[in-house]
Amino acid sequence: MRVGAHESIAGGVFNAVEAQVEDGGNCGQIFTHSPQVWQDPNIDDDEAAQFKTLSDDNDVGPWVIHSSYLVNLCTPKDGLREKSIDSMQKEVDAADKLDIPYVNVHLGAHTGAGVEGGLDNAVSALNELDVPEGVTVLIESDAGSGTKLGGDFEHLDYVLSESEQDLEVCVDTAHAFAAGYDLSSADAVDSTVAEFDEVVGLENLACVHLNDSKHECGTNKDEHAHIGEGLIGEEGMSAFVNHPDLADVPLVLETPHEDGRGFAWNIQKVRELRDANERSE
């Protein structure tokens, strides 16, 4: 089972590996810089070598780079589009340097271009990337608030189908739940997984952001909760992590640090949910 968390690279990207090991994870995600500003990754050769060595020595992987929150692939604004493409290019190049197989990105908001126009903007922006061999861009499912795209599985399928790039998908459980895909019971998980398979295809699911939700299904509100303690709940989370079609998909947690609990508690919770199912069988 591959489960880990989004770790900080403060003090050097290699520190994310040590933090992951301390938290009990064996895969994970990083930002290459602050996600709130336009900034280039600044990872020197020594840092990259340490990151790769530590990951190999501790059997931590796969890793995912999460792109900047400022990236908006759907935008109709030329300036923001060019900044987004430039930022994404630098992220896929950083992934190549670190031997990280995935760069995760939200499609963004169409801000008046319309759904089809926004999706076409995203496709054309992605097509401008020179993605190194061994790196894959993942389109993340969204909570779907405002004019943000990616909340509907059909949006993900459209971009994968229309783009010249070999793209895959990262489903965020809290986002999917917020967008109206129920995950709060075993039957609901079965139904949502089947719908994803029918629309997008499970063969295109490379990673899952495993998060519980502080808000009801279909509210379009994105706020993460501890695993099993949100409105998806323990039954839904257990059904998801034990779903046979998802057994080999890496699970990356973006759960909160609150109530005296952080990533280590949530990773252990996921392992307990998997172990309990295996014991019951």
Side-chain angles (χ1 to χ4, degrees), residues 185-242:
S185 69
D187 286 346
V189 169
D190 284 343
S191 178
T192 293
V193 171
E195 184 172 355
F196 179 89
D197 190 28
E198 181 179 351
V199 176
V200 183
L202 282 166
E203 69 276 10
N204 296 310
L205 181 63
C207 179
V208 164
H209 285 171
L210 190 72
N211 302 300
D212 212 324
S213 174
K214 291 186 178 181
H215 300 281
E216 297 279 0
C217 183
T219 58
N220 302 120
K221 293 181 179 180
D222 175 20
E223 193 175 2
H224 300 172
H226 292 307
I227 299 299
E229 299 199 354
L231 291 167
I232 294 176
E234 188 156 321
E235 180 186 346
M237 284 280 112
S238 178
F240 191 93
V241 302
N242 290 296

Side-chain angles (χ1 to χ4, degrees), residues 113-126:
V115 172
E116 186 174 349
L119 293 174
D120 285 338
N121 288 342
V123 169
S124 65
L126 288 162

Side-chain angles (χ1 to χ4, degrees), residues 85-117:
I85 293 170
D86 179 66
S87 179
M88 282 297 295
Q89 185 62 55
K90 286 167 178 165
E91 299 289 19
V92 296
D93 290 341
D96 184 44
K97 185 172 188 175
L98 293 166
D99 285 349
I100 289 178
Y102 302 121
V103 173
N104 182 75
V105 64
H106 298 269
L107 290 175
H110 68 70
T111 62
V115 172
E116 186 174 349

Side-chain angles (χ1 to χ4, degrees), residues 121-253:
N121 288 342
V123 169
S124 65
L126 288 162
N127 286 348
E128 291 200 28
L129 298 178
D130 180 13
V131 182
E133 186 177 354
V135 177
T136 300
V137 174
L138 306 183
I139 306 302
E140 182 177 345
S141 67
D142 200 271
S145 61
T147 66
K148 290 181 179 178
L149 302 179
D152 294 346
F153 290 161
E154 287 79 7
H155 296 172
L156 307 176
D157 177 63
Y158 184 89
V159 174
L160 265 63
S161 299
E162 296 297 319
S163 176
E164 298 167 2
Q165 303 285 3
D166 185 15
L167 306 169
E168 293 186 306
V169 170
C170 172
V171 167
D172 184 307
T173 53
H175 293 176
F177 190 68
Y181 296 98
D182 193 7
L183 294 167
S184 61
S185 69
D187 286 346
V189 169
D190 284 343
S191 178
T192 293
V193 171
E195 184 172 355
F196 179 89
D197 190 28
E198 181 179 351
V199 176
V200 183
L202 282 166
E203 69 276 10
N204 296 310
L205 181 63
C207 179
V208 164
H209 285 171
L210 190 72
N211 302 300
D212 212 324
S213 174
K214 291 186 178 181
H215 300 281
E216 297 279 0
C217 183
T219 58
N220 302 120
K221 293 181 179 180
D222 175 20
E223 193 175 2
H224 300 172
H226 292 307
I227 299 299
E229 299 199 354
L231 291 167
I232 294 176
E234 188 156 321
E235 180 186 346
M237 284 280 112
S238 178
F240 191 93
V241 302
N242 290 296
H243 196 286
D245 291 339
L246 307 176
D248 297 324
V249 180
L251 308 174
V252 176
L253 306 182

